[in-house]
Amino acid sequence: PDARRDDWKLVNAGIRVQAIKQEDGAAGIVHYGTEVVTNTDKSISALLGASPGASVSVSVMLDVVKTCLPYLLKSQEGAKAMTRMIPTWEEDLTPASSAERFREVSDDTDQLLGLRETDQTG
């Protein structure tokens, strides 16, 4: 209740960006969220979005590698490197039949990051 207008200063914190794309001959469609846009010869990519941050960084970089540098993933060395960084690289963990594998990977990750106590009983 004691706030005074003179105690505050207006500051622009950032600018929101929405991509407007033409799809299948339709009029431009506004896309909200974060999106990677790549030119036709795949020589440059840009990240557009309202709040591209840590939550999307891995997904974004994987999109760029898949789109612009696919040859890196086709080599045996590249595939091994991806699997070392992302153990589930070539796995689809979305079906219900993958639930046990998902729990295993989640538990391993929690333990590696120190998010869960190690079982001392066994």
Side-chain angles (χ1 to χ4, degrees):
D2 296 329
R4 297 181 327 190
R5 182 177 284 282
D6 294 342
D7 292 338
W8 297 89
K9 178 180 172 185
L10 179 63
V11 176
N12 285 332
I15 299 171
R16 289 187 169 270
V17 176
Q18 283 83 32
I20 300 175
K21 297 186 341 185
Q22 188 171 7
E23 296 178 0
D24 299 327
I29 298 171
V30 177
H31 290 261
Y32 296 95
T34 303
E35 186 168 350
V36 177
V37 178
T38 304
N39 69 342
T40 53
D41 72 358
K42 299 178 182 163
S43 62
I44 189 169
S45 290
L47 176 63
L48 300 177
S51 59
S55 64
V56 298
S57 61
V58 172
S59 177
V60 165
M61 290 313 321
L62 291 175
D63 283 350
V64 170
V65 170
K66 288 176 186 176
T67 302
C68 298
L69 307 165
Y71 61 90
L72 293 176
L73 302 175
K74 291 180 181 175
S75 73
Q76 196 171 31
E77 282 183 29
K80 284 182 183 178
M82 292 306 292
T83 304
R84 276 195 309 274
M85 290 186 285
I86 305 170
T88 58
W89 169 246
E90 291 291 322
E91 295 179 57
D92 180 3
L93 298 179
T94 56
S97 59
S98 298
E100 185 56 38
R101 174 68 174 138
F102 179 86
R103 278 191 287 280
E104 175 187 310
V105 171
S106 181
D107 289 346
D108 289 349
T109 302
D110 287 352
Q111 191 169 11
L112 181 68
L113 295 174
L115 301 175
R116 187 175 293 166
E117 295 281 330
T118 305
D119 185 7
Q120 302 289 329
T121 60

